[in-house]
């Protein structure tokens, strides 16, 4: 076995990595307030309007979706819906709702709430739902426990099911109906059915949640409350963990470089599960309007110039995997390894560039590009530094242009003022939710995290549209395998690595990472050892 | 702006050694009290300063790439329809001059507008954060001034002596230390290792303290950030004070005072240090301009919800009403502090003529 830094790091931290299974051996008990780190305060905290991990991190404890992801088969655990089924023609999706559920203000949860949210919030306003629920025509509510989503075009039941965890948070109709949903005060003062009730938000300081004594899944939740301390500095988050001022930091909030040191401290565990359902990729986004980059040989050359193992070992310190296509390995239903790959091979890259008619000039440079690394993660910025060097080695001169989030969004996704960019799209349990949009043509400018690359391929568009309408799961999966092969062959963007996050927590915290979206799920089963 | 009205004509010394003549100053015109006149003039200048700040702030934010909607969808996602809808809702689909004009109309009625990022009135946000920054920056300034000038006097009392060398070296090191690093070191020592002080935040969450108990709790939380911010500035004051004293030691009036047999202690404190104090006070005024900016890093490291962090967020979120609101309040603060500094000059140096213009 080749000894790499990744192996060394893995062996160093392995004894301290706490797996969810290990925590289940103890008996949970009630009590204690869990204090966790938060580094952002979203303007709108309502997950029915904003389906985003930053929002879910806090709001998922208060407002629940219809179902949540689960490890193993069937991959879902019921929440507000206890059963669901699609019709054979794909035009209806019936949800059987849980009985005895009440909102935090005491009013009962019924199918009318689901109907209102689906038609008025998810479809009209939600960032993902506006596209996803385009064909949602009506919601029938034959009784308080049944909601039937009716679509104008066939929708695969598998796709709707896959969207349940992220896109179907339910808020009370009686607090939203007749108001402007985007300006509703309950977008900040949340009311839901979840295991925790929203108490207060002190901007710049904390969010405070308290136990919901009337939770439908009694005796859960185990915790008396959760406090999210707003800690904008990542170094301070590590120090706060050491000082015992917080007990948990999710989403790799602690710098990876500190992780190894923290893992060795008594009473602190580094947990590497609980994020598979929200796997991110690091991608090289390519502006196809640029003549040189419109040539597939050049794109393949760039792929050959990148060493994903270097990125895994040096940038992610072992906490990532080389990507094979745009669908991560975790989703075995759709992922295929049977697709063209571009192993690290600078000589092959140079040969392809020569073949494309781009020889090295007198100064050794073939052509120059502007490279914009996304500011979302420390690693996407570092990836920009690495790619600049990797491209230089094959004769492409890259000028790094670093912008803040608003500037990056405008430059890449609105103005298309870039040649190459480093992106970090998230995979959300189904390729049709937020992955195929990276390849689909004909999108207007300004849409973030979408194909703003000037890439247009009718064959790809046809495949994407067909897969999104195909009802048979097996046939649908096959279409997405074809999609991956075509994506890898044409390489409109280059997936480099896939990564999830780490949670650092006190060993007193149990019931952590028990589902693939744990950090953004409801934490009803999390408990504190006294 | 600090020092604009200084009419000093030489060092302050004992009678007969170059100091000012006693009795009423013939240069002062008859009329209202000089301090009142200064206040009036400063008030008259304030609108001009505010206009420059508002126009400058707006233009700077306009020049930055992307707007508040770009910042929003960059973090929370959206489609083309949502982008259009948000721009219309937040008035960002209007031209920059129209938006600015509307902002000015609101301002004329005392309305600082509504924050785009926080969806709250700007005034309430600023007023919520201002006391925290004032407490942090004010305490840090006091600490820096007291510690810096005190140690500066010790260092300048015997230039090139062992104590001077030690303090000068320490000041140099401290001055070159990035505040975020110093903050983390102090946090590691006092909050992580010794656990004497809280590491972050402004008060204990959910403790329910009130009255003195709450004040004490806030004070405990402010110790580390104040120390971090204060120590960095203290080094600056120390160096200024020391340099001023070294200069003063070479003055004729000091030699004359020595010849008159004044005790060294009196000479240092009453004559040498007092002369060196003016540049330190000048720095105090200038530093007030960096109250907001200088505390951003420290507020981030210690998670203090102050105006500095709010300003940083306003810039990142391209929240122009919020940023302009913060700039207006900061500008008013700077004007106020500089006015106080000018009044202080006159107390320190009787030769400073409050009502006089610089030649």
């Amino acid at each position: 076995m080749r000894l790499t830094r990744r192996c060394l790091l893995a062996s160093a931290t392995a004894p301290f990595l706490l797996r969810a299974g290990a925590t289940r051996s103890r008996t949970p008990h009630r009590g204690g307030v869990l204090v966790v780190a938060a580094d952002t305060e979203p303007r709108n905290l309502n997950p029915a309007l904003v389906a985003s991990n930053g929002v879910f991190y806090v709001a998922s404890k208060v407002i629940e979706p219809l179902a949540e992801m689960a490890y193993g088969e069937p991959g879902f655990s019921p929440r507000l819906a206890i059963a669901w089924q699609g019709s054979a023609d794909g035009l209806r999706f019936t949800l059987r709702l849980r009985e005895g559920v009440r909102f935090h203000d005491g009013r009962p949860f019924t199918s009318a709430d689901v109907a209102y949210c689906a038609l008025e919030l998810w479809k009209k306003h939600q960032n993902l739902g506006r596209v996803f629920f385009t064909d949602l025509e009506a919601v029938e509510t034959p009784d308080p426990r049944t909601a039937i989503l009716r679509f104008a075009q066939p929708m695969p039941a598998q796709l709707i099911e896959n969207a349940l965890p992220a896109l179907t948070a339910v808020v009370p109709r009686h607090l939203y109906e007749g108001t402007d949903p985007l300006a509703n005060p309950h977008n900040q003062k949340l009311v839901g059915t979840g295991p925790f009730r929203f108490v207060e938000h002190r901007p710049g300081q904390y969010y405070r949640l308290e136990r919901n004594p009337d939770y439908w899944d009694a005796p859960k939740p185990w915790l008396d409350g959760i406090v999210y301390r707003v800690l904008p500095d990542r170094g301070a988050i590590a120090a706060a963990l050491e000082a015992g001022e917080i007990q948990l930091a999710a989403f790799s909030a602690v710098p990876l470089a500190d992780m190894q040191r923290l893992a060795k401290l008594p009473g602190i565990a580094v947990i590497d599960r609980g994020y598979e359902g929200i796997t991110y990729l690091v991608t090289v986004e390519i502006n196809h309007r640029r003549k040189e980059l419109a040539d597939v040989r050049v794109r393949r050359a760039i792929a050959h110039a990148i060493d994903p193992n270097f990125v895994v070992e040096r940038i992610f310190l072992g906490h990532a995997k080389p990507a094979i296509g745009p669908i991560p390995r975790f989703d075995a239903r759709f992922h295929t390894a049977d697709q063209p790959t571009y192993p690290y091979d600078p000589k092959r890259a140079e040969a392809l560039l020569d073949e494309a008619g781009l020889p090295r000039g007198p100064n050794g440079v073939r052509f120059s590009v502007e490279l914009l690394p996304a500011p979302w993660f420390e690693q996407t910025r570092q990836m920009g530094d690495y790619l600049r060097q990797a491209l230089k080695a094959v004769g492409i001169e890259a000028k790094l242009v670093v912008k803040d989030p608003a500037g990056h969004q405008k430059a890449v996704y609105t103005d298309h003022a870039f040649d190459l960019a480093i992106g970090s799209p998230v995979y959300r349990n189904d390729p049709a939710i937020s992955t195929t949009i990276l390849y689909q043509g004909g999108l207007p400018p300004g849409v973030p995290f979408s194909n703003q690359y000037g890439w247009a391929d009718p064959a790809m568009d046809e495949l994407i549209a067909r897969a999104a309408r195909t009802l048979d799961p097996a046939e649908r999966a096959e279409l997405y395998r074809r999609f991956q092969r075509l994506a890898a062959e044409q390489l409109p963007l280059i997936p480099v690595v896939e990564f999830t996050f780490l949670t650092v927590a006190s060993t007193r915290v149990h019931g952590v990472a028990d589902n693939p979206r744990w950090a953004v799920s409801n934490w009803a089963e999390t408990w504190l050892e006294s | 702006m600090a020092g604009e009205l200084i009419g000093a004509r030489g060092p302050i010394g004992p009678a007969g050694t170059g100091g000012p003549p006693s009795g009423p100053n013939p240069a002062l015109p008859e009329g209202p009290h000089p301090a009142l006149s200064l206040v009036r003039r400063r008030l008259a200048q304030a609108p001009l300063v505010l206009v420059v700040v508002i126009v400058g702030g707006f233009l700077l934010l306009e020049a930055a790439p992307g707007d508040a909607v770009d910042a929003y969808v960059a973090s929370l996602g959206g489609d083309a329809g949502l982008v259009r809808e948000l721009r219309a809702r937040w008035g960002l689909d209007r031209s920059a001059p129209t938006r600015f004009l509307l902002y000015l109309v609101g301002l004329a009625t005392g309305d600082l507008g509504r924050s785009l990022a926080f969806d709250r009135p700007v005034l309430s946000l600023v007023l919520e954060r201002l006391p925290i920054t004032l407490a942090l920056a004010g305490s840090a300034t006091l600490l820096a001034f007291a510690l810096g000038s005190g140690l500066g006097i010790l260092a300048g009392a015997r230039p090139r002596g062992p104590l001077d060398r030690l303090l000068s070296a320490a000041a140099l090191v401290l001055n070159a230390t990035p505040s975020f690093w110093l903050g983390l070191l102090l946090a590691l020592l006092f909050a992580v290792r010794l656990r004497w002080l809280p590491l972050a935040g402004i008060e204990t969450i959910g403790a329910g303290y009130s009255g003195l108990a709450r004040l004490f709790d806030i004070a405990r939380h402010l110790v580390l950030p104040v120390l971090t911010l204060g120590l960095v500035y203290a080094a600056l004051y120390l160096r200024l004070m020391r340099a001023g004293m070294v200069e003063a030691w070479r003055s004729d009036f000091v030699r004359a005072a020595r010849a008159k047999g004044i005790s060294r202690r009196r000479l240092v404190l009453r004559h040498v240090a007092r002369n060196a104090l003016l540049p330190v006070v000048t720095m105090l005024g200038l530093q007030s301009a960096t109250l907001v900016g200088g505390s951003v890093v420290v507020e981030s490291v210690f998670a203090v919800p102050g105006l500095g962090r709010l300003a940083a967020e306003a810039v990142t979120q391209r929240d122009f009403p919020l940023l302009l609101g913060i700039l207006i309040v900061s500008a008013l603060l700077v004007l106020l502090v500089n006015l106080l500094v000018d009044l202080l000059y006159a107390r320190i140096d009787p030769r400073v003529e409050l009502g006089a213009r610089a030649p």
Side-chain angles (χ1 to χ4, degrees):
Chain A
M1 184 179 78
R2 192 164 67 95
L3 192 63
T4 63
R5 187 170 167 176
R6 184 185 176 192
C7 300
L8 286 173
L9 190 91
S11 60
T13 56
F16 306 97
L17 291 177
L18 183 74
R19 301 221 170 237
T23 68
R24 293 199 183 108
S25 57
R26 299 172 191 238
T27 312
H29 63 82
R30 255 199 66 188
V33 173
L34 180 67
V35 186
V36 306
D39 60 358
T40 57
E41 296 167 277
R43 179 188 196 274
N44 186 330
L45 207 55
N46 180 352
L49 295 171
V50 185
S52 150
N53 289 334
V55 169
F56 292 146
Y57 181 47
V58 177
S60 58
K61 286 72 190 165
V62 182
I63 295 171
E64 294 182 295
L66 295 172
E68 186 49 271
M69 283 181 75
Y71 285 122
E73 292 297 327
F76 295 94
S77 61
R79 286 285 185 267
L80 292 179
I82 51 170
W84 48 87
Q85 191 173 25
S87 64
D89 59 4
L91 294 174
R92 292 155 75 87
F93 189 83
T94 304
L95 293 150
R96 187 75 193 149
L97 305 177
R98 189 176 293 278
E99 284 190 50
V101 178
R102 288 188 175 274
F103 286 106
H104 298 152
D105 61 359
R107 300 276 287 267
F109 156 75
T110 70
S111 55
D113 297 299
V114 175
Y116 174 79
C117 288
L119 291 170
E120 299 300 321
L121 303 185
W122 308 338
K123 178 179 171 165
K124 287 188 182 169
H125 297 290
Q126 193 195 73
N127 54 335
L128 298 178
R130 289 169 68 107
V131 175
F132 187 89
F133 289 109
T134 305
D135 292 327
L136 179 67
E137 236 177 17
V139 180
E140 294 166 15
T141 53
D143 64 68
R145 303 268 67 84
T146 308
I148 304 166
L149 310 184
R150 226 179 54 214
F151 293 91
Q153 300 283 329
M155 277 283 273
Q158 182 193 40
L159 172 56
I160 302 170
E161 182 180 63
N162 289 342
L164 293 179
L167 274 70
T168 64
V170 182
V171 294
R173 181 180 78 153
H174 62 270
L175 294 181
Y176 276 84
E177 197 166 36
T179 71
D180 172 0
L182 295 182
N184 192 299
H186 294 288
N187 294 338
Q188 278 89 36
K189 292 171 186 160
L190 305 178
V191 176
T193 57
F196 297 94
R197 293 195 296 215
F198 188 87
V199 179
E200 63 173 334
H201 172 211
R202 297 285 291 273
Q205 298 189 59
Y206 60 85
Y207 295 93
R208 192 151 69 89
L209 314 181
E210 67 179 11
R211 184 174 186 274
N212 172 14
D214 304 317
Y215 188 47
W216 55 263
D217 197 12
K220 294 171 203 161
W222 304 114
L223 295 169
D224 283 340
I226 304 172
V227 169
Y228 292 82
R229 285 190 73 161
V230 180
L231 298 168
D233 186 87
R234 288 153 58 81
I237 292 177
L241 272 162
E242 283 190 76
E245 290 201 9
I246 59 171
Q247 289 125 21
L248 187 142
F251 280 109
S252 300
V254 171
L256 287 180
D258 275 351
M259 215 62 94
Q260 201 174 343
R261 181 180 63 81
L262 284 174
K264 288 177 183 164
L265 295 176
I268 289 185
V270 177
I271 301 151
D272 64 348
R273 275 168 54 112
Y275 298 95
E276 299 85 345
I278 42 173
T279 298
Y280 282 71
L281 281 97
V282 170
T283 57
V284 178
E285 300 175 308
I286 298 167
N287 194 341
H288 296 259
R289 299 167 190 90
R290 174 80 189 256
K291 186 168 66 89
E292 295 90 337
L293 301 173
D295 187 331
V296 70
R297 290 169 297 187
V298 175
R299 301 198 295 272
R300 288 173 183 165
I302 292 173
H304 278 301
I306 299 169
D307 182 0
N309 289 317
F310 180 94
V311 177
V312 168
E313 289 163 20
R314 301 296 169 89
I315 295 179
F316 284 90
L317 304 182
H319 299 292
K321 290 174 190 160
I324 304 174
I327 299 176
R329 294 171 178 82
F330 175 75
D331 199 342
R333 299 167 303 173
F334 300 114
H335 174 79
T336 177
D338 177 22
Q339 54 179 297
T341 54
Y342 302 90
Y344 175 56
D345 187 348
K347 282 186 184 160
R348 176 79 187 122
E350 297 235 34
L352 279 167
L353 290 168
D354 288 338
E355 199 183 300
L358 296 166
R360 282 183 184 263
N363 55 356
V365 176
R366 297 172 189 276
F367 64 99
S368 301
V369 291
E370 279 206 348
L371 168 61
L372 276 70
W376 325 131
F377 297 104
E378 190 186 345
Q379 289 80 17
T380 50
R381 291 190 293 266
Q382 291 171 344
M383 177 68 197
D385 294 331
Y386 165 69
L387 184 59
R388 189 170 67 87
Q389 294 172 43
L391 292 176
K392 192 178 177 186
V394 297
I396 302 173
E397 189 177 60
K399 183 185 160 206
L400 269 183
V401 181
V402 181
K403 294 178 181 287
D404 70 352
H408 187 85
Q409 154 67 23
K410 187 170 190 315
V412 175
Y413 300 109
T414 304
D415 296 344
H416 311 140
F418 72 107
D419 296 317
L420 298 175
I422 307 296
S424 55
V426 57
Y427 180 77
R428 294 183 192 274
N429 206 27
D430 194 291
I433 296 176
S434 57
T435 301
T436 52
I437 196 170
L438 299 167
Y439 294 85
Q440 185 185 327
L443 295 166
V447 182
F449 321 121
S450 71
N451 173 12
Q452 296 296 327
Y453 319 129
W455 162 256
D457 177 4
M460 176 75 85
D461 288 347
E462 198 270 329
L463 197 53
I464 289 171
R466 235 180 98 196
R469 294 271 170 249
T470 299
L471 302 182
D472 177 57
E475 196 185 330
R476 194 166 173 262
E478 181 48 37
L479 286 171
Y480 281 120
R481 286 185 203 111
R482 279 176 55 193
F483 156 75
Q484 288 168 84
R485 281 192 281 271
L486 185 59
E489 197 181 293
Q490 292 299 319
L491 221 55
L493 74 158
I494 305 170
V496 181
V497 297
E498 56 177 69
F499 69 100
T500 56
F501 300 94
L502 298 172
T503 298
V504 188
S506 157
T507 48
R508 288 179 53 225
V509 187
H510 299 270
V512 176
D514 56 10
N515 74 63
R517 283 181 9 113
W518 180 78
V520 294
S521 66
N522 70 16
W523 295 8
E525 298 190 34
T526 303
W527 58 281
L528 270 174
E529 197 176 309
S530 46
Chain B
M1 217 176 330
E4 178 198 340
L5 302 178
I6 295 176
R9 287 174 299 231
I12 317 161
T17 59
S22 55
N25 190 336
L28 284 180
E30 291 295 321
H33 191 279
L36 198 62
S37 158
L38 175 66
V39 172
R40 278 185 188 161
R41 285 183 52 200
R42 281 294 157 81
L43 282 178
Q45 288 169 353
L48 182 65
V49 173
L50 287 180
V51 166
V52 170
V53 163
I54 293 168
V55 173
F58 186 82
L59 290 178
L60 277 176
L61 215 51
E62 277 299 308
D67 60 14
V69 174
D70 288 313
Y72 179 91
V73 295
S75 68
L76 298 177
D79 68 343
L82 183 69
V83 168
R84 265 198 311 276
E85 203 177 301
L86 286 179
R87 277 218 169 90
R89 183 178 280 266
W90 295 348
L92 297 173
D93 53 348
R94 299 187 179 115
S95 68
T98 309
R99 274 185 285 128
F100 189 56
L101 202 64
L102 288 171
Y103 180 77
L104 290 182
V105 169
L107 202 59
T109 61
D111 180 10
L112 284 178
R114 196 171 180 84
S115 160
L116 303 176
F118 290 85
D119 197 18
R120 282 179 56 192
V122 167
L123 189 63
S124 83
L125 267 169
V126 171
L127 290 180
E128 193 176 277
R129 306 283 183 107
L130 184 63
I132 298 167
T133 290
L134 286 181
L136 169 63
S139 311
T141 304
L142 274 180
L143 173 75
F145 186 73
L147 194 68
S149 50
L151 292 175
I153 291 171
L154 285 178
R158 289 190 190 279
R160 297 181 187 279
L163 188 61
D164 175 32
R165 286 176 196 278
L166 181 73
L167 288 172
S168 294
L172 197 65
V173 170
L174 211 53
N175 213 10
T177 305
S179 56
F180 77 89
W181 191 71
L182 178 66
L184 283 175
L185 280 187
L186 290 173
L188 281 175
L189 179 63
F190 292 107
V192 178
R193 296 273 173 263
L194 301 172
R195 305 218 173 180
W196 288 352
L197 293 164
L199 176 86
I202 189 71
E203 57 187 314
T204 308
I205 301 167
Y209 293 134
S210 60
L212 273 179
R214 184 164 181 239
L215 271 182
F216 180 71
D217 186 45
I218 292 173
R220 277 191 76 231
H221 280 80
L222 277 178
V223 170
L224 286 178
V226 164
L227 214 53
T228 306
L229 204 55
L231 283 178
V232 172
Y233 282 114
L236 191 68
Y237 288 126
L238 189 157
R239 287 171 65 80
L240 271 176
M241 191 74 194
R242 184 211 170 257
M245 286 181 71
V246 167
E247 187 66 30
W249 278 116
R250 296 194 198 109
S251 306
D252 289 343
F253 78 91
V254 173
R255 273 196 289 275
R258 273 177 160 168
K260 286 177 76 177
I262 294 177
S263 73
R264 186 171 181 87
R265 184 189 172 85
R266 188 177 161 84
L267 185 65
V268 168
L269 293 178
R270 292 291 298 273
H271 302 298
V272 180
R274 196 171 177 192
N275 262 284
L277 203 56
L278 281 181
V280 178
V281 173
T282 305
M283 179 52 68
L284 193 68
L286 291 173
Q287 195 201 316
S288 71
T290 62
L291 278 183
V292 172
S295 58
V296 172
V297 173
V298 171
E299 286 181 5
S300 292
V301 169
F302 292 103
V304 175
L307 217 49
R309 244 174 79 196
L310 194 65
E313 283 174 55
V315 173
T316 310
Q317 300 296 325
R318 305 289 192 270
D319 188 345
F320 84 90
L322 180 57
L323 186 70
L324 291 184
I326 294 170
L327 287 178
I328 290 169
V329 171
S330 305
L332 289 173
L333 270 178
V334 171
L335 286 170
L336 178 69
V337 172
N338 278 286
L339 176 65
L340 293 176
V341 165
D342 281 340
L343 294 172
L344 194 61
Y345 275 138
R347 295 287 298 174
I348 296 170
D349 185 348
R351 294 161 305 160
V352 173
E353 296 156 6
L354 284 175
R357 289 174 187 279

